[in-house]
């Protein structure tokens, strides 16, 4: 089975929440995560600037032969998803505020998003499709930037300074950064919150499913595939950090040091039924290569306690022995445009989520 390479993009750490959902839904893909942390936040930038920054990131994905890109950023989606779809040959999946589910459950809903998203035609149109719910659109001043600086830690942020007062029976988190404060925002309004991450992951799955069907069709009809699938050598070139693309694309910050950061982590998953185990492990090229040649799964395993039964997890013995399942690796490589890619945060995101 083909292993897809998916590029996930955000202005900074917000898109990690989307990446996490994508990994949960599609554990058999490899991922590049690009947080444009040198230019975050995007929310008040001009559409031209945002378009140009997103283009730079998608060019990096393209250079690595990504099969699809996810704009894990509502702002980027609102501003330039359509233009990016025209410019790039791979599918570009966007992230949109979860207005639809809120419309079916609420009478008065608040939509929180960046200034650029709130002003976008796209959001007005979306909201206009659901007249049964009264939506209030609001752009919390400086909230995405504060979350980026606080590395997603709610304790460092005083919501009273950012959020409007009011009575709402639902709150839409229309910025992937806000998802870090989902519990706190829900408590602030005593109302359920909605985000679009699951929908984005489903859309990615559908898009890759279509690509797979086309590929099969092309193989069975003997035609050459038009889809761009990375060859093993290409991937290994990436894993080994042998290309200068990150540096070339992103200038000064994309140095060897940067590539070293990008190479550092992989997440291991296994099974036919879903994820059964994961552990972030530090790995270099050698480890990775070993991994791709069928290395054993990480020695430390976590026994599932049953809480995740409905997510297709299943038990793995504590003895650390292989139980016959096929181990697969989901590799995630983190790229950024600034120096402060926070490895600890990225690791925690997965440690907490799974
Ligand atoms: N996380 C992004 C979004 O979903 C952008 C936040 C920002 O950079 O202002 O809109």
């Amino acid at each position: 089975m083909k292993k897809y390479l998916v590029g996930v993009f955000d202005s900074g750490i917000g898109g990690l929440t989307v990446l996490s959902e994508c990994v949960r839904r599609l554990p058999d893909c490899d991922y590049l995560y690009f947080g444009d942390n040198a230019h975050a936040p995007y929310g008040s930038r001009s559409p031209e600037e945002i378009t140009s920054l997103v283009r730079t990131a998608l060019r990096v994905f393209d250079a690595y032969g990504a099969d699809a890109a996810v704009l894990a950023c509502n702002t980027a989606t609102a501003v330039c998803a359509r233009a990016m779809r025209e410019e790039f040959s791979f599918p570009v999946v966007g992230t949109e505020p979860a207005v639809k589910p809120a419309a079916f459950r609420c009478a008065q809903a608040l939509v929180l998003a960046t200034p650029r998203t709130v002003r976008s035609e796209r959001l007005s149109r979306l909201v206009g499709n659901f007249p049964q719910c009264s939506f209030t659109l609001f752009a919390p001043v400086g909230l995405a930037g504060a979350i980026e600086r606080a590395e997603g830690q709610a304790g460092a942020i005083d919501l009273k300074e950012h959020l409007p007062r009011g009575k709402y029976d639902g709150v839409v988190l229309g910025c992937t950064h806000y998802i870090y404060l989902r519990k706190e925002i829900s408590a602030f309004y005593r109302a359920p919150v909605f985000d679009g991450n699951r929908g984005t992951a489903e859309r990615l799955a559908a898009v890759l499913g279509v690509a797979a069907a086309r590929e099969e069709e092309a193989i069975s009809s003997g035609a050459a595939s038009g889809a761009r699938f990375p060859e093993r050598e290409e991937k290994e070139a990436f894993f080994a950090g042998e290309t200068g693309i990150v540096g070339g694309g992103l200038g000064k910050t994309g140095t060897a040091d940067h590539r070293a950061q990008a190479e550092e982590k992989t997440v291991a998953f296994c099974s036919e039924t879903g994820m059964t185990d994961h552990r972030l492990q530090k790995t270099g090229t050698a480890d990775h290569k070993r991994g791709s040649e069928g290395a054993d799964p990480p020695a430390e395993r976590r026994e599932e306690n049953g809480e995740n039964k409905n997510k297709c997890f299943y038990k793995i013995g504590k003895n650390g022995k292989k139980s016959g399942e096929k181990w697969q690796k989901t590799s995630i490589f983190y790229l950024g445009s600034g120096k402060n890619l926070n490895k600890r945060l990225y690791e925690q995101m997965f440690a907490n989520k799974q």
Side-chain angles (χ1 to χ4, degrees):
M1 246 242 315
K2 199 165 285 295
K3 206 163 197 241
Y4 291 110
L5 181 65
V6 177
V8 178
F9 169 79
D10 183 43
S11 62
I13 62 171
L16 287 171
T17 65
V18 183
L19 173 63
S20 171
E21 202 60 49
C22 292
V23 171
R24 192 190 290 279
R25 177 69 181 80
L26 293 160
D28 293 337
C29 293
D30 284 333
Y31 295 88
L32 303 171
Y33 182 85
F34 190 132
D36 189 8
N37 54 335
H39 304 106
Y42 275 13
S44 305
R45 289 183 183 275
S46 71
E48 292 72 26
E49 270 180 298
I50 294 170
T51 305
S52 146
L53 292 168
V54 174
R55 180 181 293 120
T56 303
L58 296 202
R59 280 187 182 153
V60 174
F61 293 161
D62 197 17
Y64 286 125
D67 297 295
V70 176
L71 298 183
C73 174
N74 295 264
T75 312
T77 304
V79 170
C80 62
R82 195 173 300 164
M84 294 303 110
R85 285 183 187 127
E86 278 164 24
E87 284 184 33
F88 290 90
S89 59
F90 47 67
V92 176
V93 174
T95 304
E96 260 182 352
V99 161
K100 189 174 172 181
F104 289 109
R105 286 188 50 195
C106 311
Q108 301 268 352
L110 175 67
V111 182
L112 299 173
T114 66
R116 188 53 61 201
T117 306
V118 163
R119 285 203 292 272
S120 69
E121 239 188 88
R122 201 175 164 118
L123 183 58
S124 327
R125 242 184 298 123
L126 185 62
V127 163
N129 289 338
F130 302 98
Q132 71 268 38
C133 175
S134 157
F135 284 103
T136 302
L137 310 187
F138 185 84
V141 177
L143 185 55
I147 293 169
E148 183 78 21
R149 284 190 300 278
E151 299 174 349
Q153 298 302 313
I157 293 165
D158 183 1
L159 283 180
K160 290 197 293 301
E161 285 177 13
H162 299 277
L163 299 182
R165 301 255 160 216
K167 269 207 92 43
Y168 301 98
D169 52 8
V171 182
V172 176
L173 304 180
C175 167
T176 51
H177 278 71
Y178 304 165
I179 295 170
Y180 285 93
L181 307 187
R182 104 191 315 282
K183 263 202 252 141
E184 291 72 16
I185 294 175
S186 178
F188 189 86
Y189 290 106
R190 297 191 187 170
V193 293
F194 301 87
D195 73 66
N197 285 1
R198 191 158 290 181
T200 304
E202 284 303 330
R203 179 78 198 127
L204 174 65
V207 154
L208 292 177
V210 169
R214 281 206 195 116
E215 177 74 3
E216 254 176 47
E217 211 175 279
I219 291 168
S220 63
S221 69
S225 165
R228 304 182 70 262
F229 299 116
E231 297 303 321
R232 187 186 162 90
E233 304 76 61
E234 275 181 292
K235 279 196 181 178
E236 293 209 339
F238 169 74
F239 294 141
E242 282 158 9
T243 79
I245 295 166
V246 176
L250 298 175
K252 201 168 163 273
T253 52
T255 55
D257 159 304
H258 175 106
R259 285 200 296 278
Q261 287 186 348
E263 285 156 29
E264 242 173 22
K265 296 176 213 60
T266 61
V267 185
F269 292 93
C270 92
S271 103
E272 291 108 41
T273 49
M275 292 177 281
T276 55
D277 188 19
H278 89 292
R279 197 190 70 141
L280 281 153
Q281 58 181 15
K282 287 212 165 202
T283 182
T285 312
D287 269 350
H288 175 78
K289 280 189 174 152
R290 211 151 32 80
S292 66
E293 282 158 16
D296 284 350
E300 260 174 46
R301 295 177 177 178
R302 197 184 55 165
E303 189 164 20
E304 290 302 333
N305 56 16
E307 76 197 86
N308 288 315
K309 267 193 194 114
N310 56 346
K311 292 175 192 144
C312 306
F313 285 61
Y314 62 88
K315 286 195 176 195
I316 290 187
K318 273 183 179 157
N319 60 8
K321 289 237 170 80
K322 266 189 185 169
S323 54
E325 295 93 352
K326 199 174 151 223
W327 282 84
Q328 298 211 1
K329 262 191 159 190
T330 299
S331 302
I332 303 175
F333 292 93
Y334 299 107
L335 311 169
S337 52
K339 286 211 166 131
N340 307 325
L341 273 190
N342 185 330
K343 294 175 200 167
R344 182 184 48 78
L345 172 69
Y346 283 18
E347 285 174 356
Q348 270 175 6
M349 173 59 65
F350 288 93
N352 293 339
K353 278 265 172 179
Q354 311 301 336

